[in-house]
């Protein structure tokens, strides 16, 4: 029997009751398309508005920024020296700081920028779905872990630890630590299975969840994760490393607040982001209007020789710039060389900030003004069902394509 409900006939109370029912009984909290599509900055909060519209000393903010950068460099060194995974030794790591709403405010002078940028997506997911959930929540001393690229990561072998930072009971920012781990329980050892033919061959698929409380790892969850991989010692050791690095970064942030005040921490992060966005828009406006194109091709899937097109067009009009990847090869439903669109964008941002405008601050705003277009279910914007463990193949194009296309525009 089917019952049809005309929503226009519902009273406001009935509508609220029905909305609450659907919210409380959601079947599955999968990746949120709205969150994953948005690589721009969140709107100013009322607190950020108050701070920046008041008397905000730029010299004091610069000193505050310097303390934050020093803390990020210190904790990067901690990961590098304490991390057990080979990726920690060759530099596949990063530590970063985010605003309370999840905008990536800064990495240090070392580390992989895309590793930092993608962590903003799971932080926003936590804030949207877990912060007000009575069974989860977000509290001081918590730490969350994730690795699934569909919620925000490059590929599943990377594991991130995220910790909220509170001051006088109020959430003021987030800190994170990421390591490319050498093992995640995939169909092949090593975490990047070239033979994966579905996402279920890729090993751990951790949506963002709390793995530590009161700055202590939950041993039941650690055991579950250890039981899901080939190297339980590695899993435990690097979870400890990421947690204690986050704790150290949290301590450094609190010391910055004690020295400069909480308004300067919040204001400095927001001011840096907004200034960077203005700087990028100004640079775009200086470029000649037009369309600049480049075609590139992958020549294999790691299983067979196969040509796959990855084109890029840069479209400039005034201070508006669009990077278009329409016409890219369709996704491979049974090969692991696809990449999630949000991950692809963070790697494009790296190509921009490292090779095109290397003097830009390494934060989310360096790419926020740039619009990105691509086809759904394509090699560079794959669906949630497509495997992407070896996303590095199109990702490497994301690092290099901006160099060529933007060189044409600047010439």
């Amino acid at each position: 029997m089917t019952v049809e409900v005309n929503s226009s006939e519902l009273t406001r109370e009935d509508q609220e009751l029905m909305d609450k029912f659907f919210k409380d009984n959601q079947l599955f909290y999968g990746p949120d398309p709205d969150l994953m599509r948005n690589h721009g900055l969140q709107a100013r909060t009322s607190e950020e508005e108050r701070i920046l519209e008041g008397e905000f000393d730029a010299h004091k903010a610069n000193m505050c920024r310097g303390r934050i950068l020093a803390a990020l460099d210190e904790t990067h060194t901690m990961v590098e020296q304490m991390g057990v995974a080979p990726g920690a030794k060759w530099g596949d790591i990063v530590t970063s700081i985010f605003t309370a709403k999840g905008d990536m405010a800064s990495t240090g002078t070392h580390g992989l920028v895309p590793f930092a940028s993608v962590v903003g997506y799971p932080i926003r997911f936590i804030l949207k779905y877990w912060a007000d959930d009575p069974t989860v929540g977000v509290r001081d001393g918590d730490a969350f872990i994730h690795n699934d690229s569909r919620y925000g990561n490059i590929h599943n072998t990377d594991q991130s630890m995220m910790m909220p930072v509170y001051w006088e009971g109020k959430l003021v920012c987030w800190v994170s630590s990421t390591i490319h781990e050498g093992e995640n329980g995939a169909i092949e050892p090593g975490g990047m299975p070239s033979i994966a033919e579905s996402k279920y061959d890729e090993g751990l698929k951790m949506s963002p969840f709390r793995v530590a409380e009161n700055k202590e790892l939950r041993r039941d969850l650690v055991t579950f994760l250890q039981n899901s991989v080939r190297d339980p010692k590695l899993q435990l050791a690097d979870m400890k490393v990421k947690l204690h690095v986050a704790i150290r970064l949290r301590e450094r942030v609190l010391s910055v607040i004690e020295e400069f005040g909480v308004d300067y921490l919040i204001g400095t992060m927001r001011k840096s982001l907004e200034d960077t966005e203005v700087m990028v828009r100004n640079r775009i406006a200086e470029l000649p209007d037009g369309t600049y194109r480049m075609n590139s091709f992958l020549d294999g899937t790691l299983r067979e020789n196969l040509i796959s097109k990855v084109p890029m067009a840069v479209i400039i009009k005034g201070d508006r710039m669009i990077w278009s990847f329409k016409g890219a090869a369709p996704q491979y439903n049974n090969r692991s060389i696809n990449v999630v669109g949000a991950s692809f964008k963070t790697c494009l941002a790296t190509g921009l900030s490292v090779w095109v405008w290397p003097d830009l601050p390494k934060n989310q705003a360096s790419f926020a003004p740039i619009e990105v277009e691509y086809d759904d279910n394509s090699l560079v914007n794959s669906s949630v069902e497509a495997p992407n463990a070896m996303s590095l193949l199109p990702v490497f194009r994301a690092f290099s394509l901006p160099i060529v296309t933007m060189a044409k525009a600047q010439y």
Side-chain angles (χ1 to χ4, degrees):
M1 178 179 178
T2 302
V3 178
E4 294 186 1
V5 178
N6 186 346
S7 60
S8 64
E9 297 176 358
L10 294 175
T11 65
R12 184 170 61 85
E13 292 77 9
D14 288 341
Q15 183 67 52
E16 290 175 353
L17 182 63
M18 187 171 69
D19 291 343
K20 183 178 186 303
F21 173 82
F22 285 121
K23 180 180 178 181
D24 294 344
N25 292 276
Q26 185 165 328
L27 177 63
F28 173 54
Y29 290 87
D32 186 317
D34 291 335
L35 294 180
M36 298 303 289
R37 278 193 294 263
N38 180 17
H39 66 278
L41 300 181
Q42 303 294 296
R44 268 192 192 185
T45 65
S46 57
E47 186 171 36
E48 290 168 340
E49 187 76 30
R50 173 187 61 80
I51 293 168
L52 295 180
E53 292 303 317
E55 294 183 4
F56 191 73
D57 188 335
H59 297 291
K60 192 173 178 180
N62 188 52
M63 290 189 290
C64 181
R65 186 182 301 110
R67 299 286 197 280
I68 293 170
L69 287 171
L72 291 166
D73 285 347
E74 175 194 6
T75 48
H76 179 277
T77 301
M78 287 178 64
V79 179
E80 191 174 48
Q81 295 187 352
M82 295 165 53
V84 176
K89 306 307 180 188
W90 72 54
D92 250 5
I93 55 177
V94 78
T95 58
S96 41
I97 185 170
F98 300 77
T99 67
K101 295 182 71 174
D103 289 339
M104 196 275 280
S106 185
T107 67
T109 54
H110 309 285
L112 297 184
V113 176
F115 276 14
S117 300
V118 288
V119 176
Y121 296 109
I123 290 176
R124 292 179 184 181
F125 183 93
I126 293 166
L127 290 169
K128 182 173 180 178
Y129 292 104
W130 299 157
D132 296 324
D133 189 302
T135 67
V136 188
V138 177
R139 298 179 292 271
D140 197 10
D142 286 351
F144 293 79
I145 195 170
H146 101 294
N147 78 320
D148 191 340
S149 57
R150 297 156 188 87
Y151 292 85
N153 221 326
I154 303 302
H155 47 190
N156 284 18
T157 195
D158 305 325
Q159 297 186 22
S160 301
M161 189 82 72
M162 301 147 287
M163 176 173 277
V165 179
Y166 284 80
W167 178 257
E168 296 181 348
K170 182 175 64 177
L171 177 65
V172 293
C173 68
W174 292 76
V175 295
S176 76
S177 171
T178 303
I179 301 177
H180 173 116
E181 300 294 350
E183 168 55 29
N184 68 349
I187 193 172
E188 285 180 308
M192 296 193 296
S194 60
I195 67 170
E197 295 192 359
S198 82
K199 70 178 185 180
Y200 306 103
D201 293 332
E202 295 179 330
L204 288 174
K205 292 186 292 296
M206 295 187 287
S207 57
F209 67 92
R210 182 170 58 240
V211 74
E213 299 175 10
N214 298 318
K215 294 180 277 189
E216 292 286 344
L217 291 171
R218 282 189 50 176
R219 200 60 200 240
D220 57 340
L221 295 177
V222 172
T223 301
F224 162 72
L225 296 174
Q226 289 178 292
N227 193 48
S228 303
V229 299
R230 293 176 180 83
D231 193 341
K233 290 185 289 185
L234 170 67
Q235 185 66 34
L236 172 62
D238 276 356
M239 285 178 70
K240 286 184 174 181
V241 169
K242 287 190 285 282
L243 175 63
H244 285 278
V245 164
I247 291 171
R248 175 65 64 84
L249 191 48
R250 171 185 176 274
E251 292 171 351
R252 295 293 185 252
V253 169
L254 294 178
S255 69
V256 168
I257 294 174
E258 290 171 355
E259 181 176 0
F260 298 100
V262 69
D263 282 2
Y264 270 89
L265 173 75
I266 296 170
T268 296
M269 289 191 293
R270 185 69 198 188
K271 186 77 164 66
S272 298
L273 290 167
E274 292 185 358
D275 287 352
T276 302
E277 184 170 20
V278 170
M279 192 186 313
V280 172
R281 290 195 184 279
N282 290 339
R283 293 185 184 194
I284 294 171
E286 292 173 352
L287 296 170
D289 288 356
T291 302
Y292 309 87
R293 291 187 174 89
M294 170 70 182
N295 284 324
S296 69
F297 300 88
L298 307 182
D299 60 5
T301 68
L302 302 176
R303 302 282 297 279
E304 56 269 309
N305 296 328
L306 194 63
I307 299 296
S308 305
K309 184 179 180 181
V310 183
M312 179 177 181
V314 175
I315 304 156
I316 302 172
K317 187 173 183 180
D319 68 350
R320 185 183 180 198
M321 183 158 67
I322 301 169
W323 288 8
S324 176
F325 298 87
K326 287 185 174 292
Q331 70 183 26
Y332 294 100
N333 293 324
N334 62 347
R335 294 294 182 264
S336 65
I337 64 167
N338 308 289
V339 62
V340 174
S343 308
F344 190 68
K345 286 191 289 187
T346 61
C347 297
L348 291 170
T350 300
L352 179 75
S353 63
V354 172
W355 300 110
V356 181
W357 292 322
D359 58 320
L360 287 177
K362 293 179 175 59
N363 61 40
Q364 187 172 329
S366 63
F367 198 66
I370 299 172
E371 303 166 49
V372 180
E373 297 178 345
Y374 32 41
D375 299 314
D376 291 336
N377 303 326
S378 66
L379 185 66
V380 299
N381 182 33
S382 58
S383 71
V384 295
E385 289 299 319
N388 60 54
M390 283 303 302
S391 62
L392 290 182
L393 271 71
V395 158
F396 289 151
R397 297 302 187 277
F399 292 147
S400 58
L401 278 169
I403 306 169
V404 180
T405 48
M406 289 297 293
K408 293 180 179 183
Q410 291 177 320
Y411 179 79

